[in-house]
Amino acid sequence: MSATGWIRERIAGPAPGPLPGTATGTWPRLSHALPLIGMLLVASLDWFSNNRVTVEPALTAVPALAAVVSRRTWYPLFIGAVAEAVAFLMAAYNQVLGESVHTATVLAIALVAGIGWVSATLRLRQERALAEAQLVAEIARRVLLRSVPDRVGSVRAAVHYAAAAAHASIGGDLYEVVNTRHGVRAVVGDVRGKGLNAVETAAAVLGAFREAAHQEPALERVAGWLAVSLDRALHENDHPGVEEEFVTLVLIGVCPDGNAEIVNCGHPGPMLIRTDGELELLEPAEPVPPLGVLDPADVRPPIQRVTFRPGDRVLLYTDGVIEARDDRGVFYPLGERLPGLAVGGPVEVLRRLHEDVVRHVGHKLGDDAAMLLLQYEPTGCRLPHQAGQQAAGAVTP
């Protein structure tokens, strides 16, 4: 089966089930009875009017309601046919079969039912197109931004990514964690801008990192490799405004013994969370511009060294987190909130942190936001809280 056929099969699914990627349960099944209830109300009102006035024209609204409450294209036509039958019964009861009000009602019901069928058909096609776009975007995300395993070498890892674009699962932020002979290496970056150009640039940087992280023993030379690849990708793809394109990123390498190196190129500094709750912002000693600003030959970022103890965590993030503002324009206070949220495993911490950022903003984030949490935990090492839990579990009452 071709890739296109596989995608369409995934989208279509078993009939008449819901489409992947579309909201289900927007209108409960009981809502399909609303047009029938509407017809019953109109007929009841006409019955109690005692032939003094006819409300038959109100039946024209019933097929329109059917087109709204149902995703089945045939439903407006079915309701229109039922409404026509009810209209003839009401006209016979009111003795207006030969009058213009009945003729106009019958024609109007037929017209509205036809319009409802067209509307339902177009809406269904749009839903399928949206589902296909969402599925393709999800496939692209899994290829570009691969899932991070729970353990990578001597660290436990977790990632959380939220794209700002509506109905998209990928944007200009990037992340990756790899286990190399030089230790665990990770990158988190942010491409200037949004859209397809940002995705192409992120793909070029990630592809270069996945190769350079294994080949280059020095972390600063990995940054140089990324700068060369970025420069080549921007000029080969002929991006508009290539002179203004750049990527901020931070690289980190963690050796099995806990010694870590950090290279920062214009990116927000990582947050180090010690096991005792102490928080430290790992800012570079001297600022380095983002990749794409300097000539690749001039990219020589300094290395910041830090030693991790078992259980220490480091959070790498993009500016979509710290620049998230509430309705008063106050930025999210990551340094204040993080210590209280850093409880539990890495996945739980990032989930709790993302929920707190969204609560601070009060709505969906307006910028891409990526967070990567690494917890230094050598194989076979028991953290203090884990040892305490095991000891408590061993005590019998």
Side-chain angles (χ1 to χ4, degrees), residues 9-26:
E9 180 180 329
R10 286 284 305 276
I11 294 168
L19 295 175
T22 60
T24 59
T26 304

Side-chain angles (χ1 to χ4, degrees), residues 46 54-60 83-110:
D46 187 77
T54 177
V55 293
E56 182 183 346
L59 290 173
T60 57
E84 294 280 23
V86 174
F88 274 96
L89 292 175
M90 292 173 60
Y93 173 74
N94 293 316
Q95 299 179 356
V96 294
L97 280 173
E99 296 186 12
S100 59
V101 62
H102 171 65
T103 304
T105 300
V106 169
L107 294 177
I109 291 175

Side-chain angles (χ1 to χ4, degrees), residues 366-389:
D367 193 8
D368 299 335
M371 297 181 290
L372 175 65
L373 185 65
L374 303 178
Q375 176 176 304
Y376 178 60
E377 190 174 319
T379 305
C381 174
R382 289 193 307 173
L383 302 182
H385 69 276
Q386 293 175 334
Q389 292 174 353

